[in-house]
Amino acid sequence: MASVTTNGQDRDPVSLFEIHRRQMIRDRMIVNVTLGVVFLGFLLWSLWISRFTPDRLATGLPRIFEYFGSVMPSLQWDVLFDGRNEAGRFPAGSIGYWYNDFWKYLRLIWETILMALTATILAIGLAVALSFIAARNCTPFPWAGVLARRFLEFCRGVPEILFALVLVFAVGIGPLAGVLAITIHATGALGKLFSEVNENASMRPVDGIKAVGGSWFEQMRYGILTQVLPNFTSYALWRFEINVRASAVVGFVGAGGIGAELSHTISFYSDDRVTAVLLLVVLTVTIIDLVSERARHSLIGKESLR
Amino acid sequence: MLEFKGLTKQFNSTVAVKPATFTIPDGQMVGIIGRSGAGKSTLLRMINRLNEPSGGQMLFQGRDITALKGRDLRQWRNECAMVFQQFNLVGRLNVITNVMSGRLFHHGFASSMMGIFTAKERAFAIRALDRLGMAHVALQQTDTLSGGQMQRVAIARALVQEPRIMLADEPIASLDPLNAKVVMDALRAINRQDGLTVICNLHTLDTARQYCDRIIGMQDGVIVFDGTPKELTDRAAREIYGAEAEEAFSEAMTSTALHPQPVAQPEARVVN
Amino acid sequence: MSTLTFHAISDADIAAARKRYPKAFGDPFVATLKAASWAFVIVYLIWSLGFFEIGKLLSASDRAWALMTRMVVWQDMATWQYANIYKGIAQTIAMAFVGTLLGTIFALGLAFLAARNTMPVGLFRHAVRRLLDVFRGIDQIVWGLVFVRAVGLGPLAGVLAIWISDMGNLAKLYSEAIENIDRKQVEGVRATGADTGRIIRYGYLPQILPVFISLSLYSFESSTRSATILGLVGAGGIGMIIIERFRAGLFDQVAFVVLNVLVVIAVIDWGSGLIRKRFIGERGH
């Protein structure tokens, strides 16, 4: 093939390409080196600020292994499934001994799940209502939309445990503070997701209901809600999973559920009771995740949720 | 009688509809024609206030429509039903619920939110569907229907509103010729049998000529023609459509023609 | 059929329509089911709120009101020790960064061990996955408490907590990304006669790298959020300042700190959005 003519100059394609390539590499190099320097600088700063130094790590790591060693249960095969002995106690090394407080844990886990469920239901109600006001294409008054979006941002921005801290002070120690804290945070998170779904909904049915003489509520109920309901359900289930995790830790500040027991056990004992509670919490969370994930996937294609 | 007194619509700096003054007597079937962007749709959507007029007045039986607010406005929208190009039905509801949604205005808050409809409403909706030959799909989910079926459902929804005026915004632009004919026949039947005023935006000249008592031609937001189909000469039509004339004419003869046999072959367009 | 008005619909008309289309008049079974499920939800809600002693909300309103007023009325702003506050925020960011970076590095290795297409030994793969489940199943703040017990109060415990929970999260997401890889591209590289190293470099890396970077950035964002509360259990960062001042009843300062944290988090979200755009273009993840 003949050489390419550009601007009247004869340049063969290879040398032209080489010029472009060198230019590109040079540009990229500058950007990459700058980014690398910034990254390294930030890393060094972070290490210094968080006092994450090798000597601290060196003294810390053995203690971690030591700690984990001490909280592991010492199970013995020959007595593993033994029941209570004459004195009414489980023999050391049996599962019964490890899970001496099993029923107490179970009651607390039950409370934890109920807290999450109640908070999720309340949050769904609030989030659905607010999402229609917050969505730009649905809002009845633009100023109300701005207000609702700011409110949701605030609810979402503050972690539930902080809300719980404040609410425990306001309404006293107990699960109510936890339920309210999780409700507020979940309302923010769900409200934002819901309003984004609303914003992606087709406005044609809304126009149709509007032309029929439907009120704003009817436009939302028939025009939008029917379109977004599967997504709402899927997000709500997903939020329930997260709320179960959250309600397991709000007890750290006294807001009910297994968290108080968890925090108490970890803070005051370093024996197998720690792993006993932790294992139960992990199991609960995992089982709920699995069930809810299955429900979500059967409800809506796998791809619609990241 | 629907009176327009200098009705205008302005979007930011562009004027979509320049002051329009005309009158539509009761029971007339009016076709509004013009090329896309001529302001037909805006004019129509101003009648039921889906687009808010920026100036002028609209009177229906002497009542000022442009000043209506809140419940009065919704009552007016209930009185003048609209059929859309894209049907604007609620796809995930079944057909009969879509049709019954035409009666939402008469519902209280609780019953409409819970989606409770009376047996009378259900029977009425079935009658309306039956009139359009769609009663057999009453329980299907709406978005499983074809375009022509959806438009007929939309007309049924409009009918259960018991409107006094029927607005149709390009009702056949998304349909194939056969369905277009069914839909236009239905609109004309409603006009003739029920005595409803029908105002219909149409892109194709031929349809307007065949179905309407009166044709209004719009160009760049101005009404440039207002008369009977007979008065609309080819020259006048060419003027309305301007650069799109060939398209509008040939489209009338091919794609959306309502005649059983095509008059010309598509190759004819290549010559131009 | 000709015109028919709504008011003219008689009982006979209804009966006739019902006879022709009985299902159009509502399925009593479905209606009952619907009503029952709504009733169940409402009854549960009322019962559970009673169980959680919702009444306390009313009796606590004075206390809550006092708390609210003290949060919005800011007093003695000169004595708020701003340096400590901003040092705490900086420490939170630093903890999140170091923790996420360590989590990313370790997750890279674990992800290939947990992905079906890169780890053929099923038993080992499942063991790795269960381990990751444990890392993820325990909340970050619980890890924080555990590490505080193990290595003492301070940011080291926080970094370790972020490290371990990010490692669990990222390794799972990375392994999913590896499993979702487009095999055709890998085959294309293999067809050029490339060795294993080159197959990974040109077949796998270009596909997974943008996803990995994006996931790690998301992880950094969420770690900054969660790192703010790690201090509540003594694992360093701004949370320690929040809880100290809350316990001391300095509610106005707590409100100020929380507002600052919200702003910082918003800035970080914005910044990482920019970086994400630069590395992986507009398509996001």
Side-chain angles (χ1 to χ4, degrees), chain A residues 250-277:
Chain A
V250 286
F252 275 43
V253 293
I258 188 96
E261 183 66 27
L262 198 58
S263 149
H264 180 80
T265 312
I266 300 174
S267 303
F268 293 101
Y269 311 115
S270 55
D271 54 19
D272 55 3
R273 272 172 281 191
V274 173
T275 32
V277 195

Side-chain angles (χ1 to χ4, degrees), chain B residues 96 100 103 114 118-124 126-127 130-131 135-136 138-139 162 193-194, chain C residues 1-10 13-14 17-18 20-26 34:
Chain B
I96 188 163
M100 287 187 297
R103 297 212 61 86
M114 289 192 276
T118 63
K120 200 171 169 184
E121 283 171 324
R122 288 172 192 276
F124 192 46
I126 287 178
R127 283 292 190 87
D130 206 22
R131 187 170 171 185
H136 60 286
L139 289 164
E162 301 193 286
Q193 292 166 5
D194 301 23
Chain C
M1 194 189 280
S2 65
T3 325
L4 184 80
T5 62
F6 181 65
H7 290 287
I9 295 268
S10 63
D13 291 326
I14 297 174
R18 197 190 282 272
R20 271 180 69 200
Y21 303 101
K23 281 194 184 143
F25 287 81
K34 244 186 192 170

Side-chain angles (χ1 to χ4, degrees), chain B residues 72 77 116 224:
Chain B
D72 293 333
R77 282 181 182 151
I116 297 170
V224 292

Side-chain angles (χ1 to χ4, degrees), chain B residues 206 252-254 257 259-266:
Chain B
D206 227 34
M253 287 181 284
T254 56
H259 303 293
Q261 281 112 23
V263 180
Q265 295 298 313

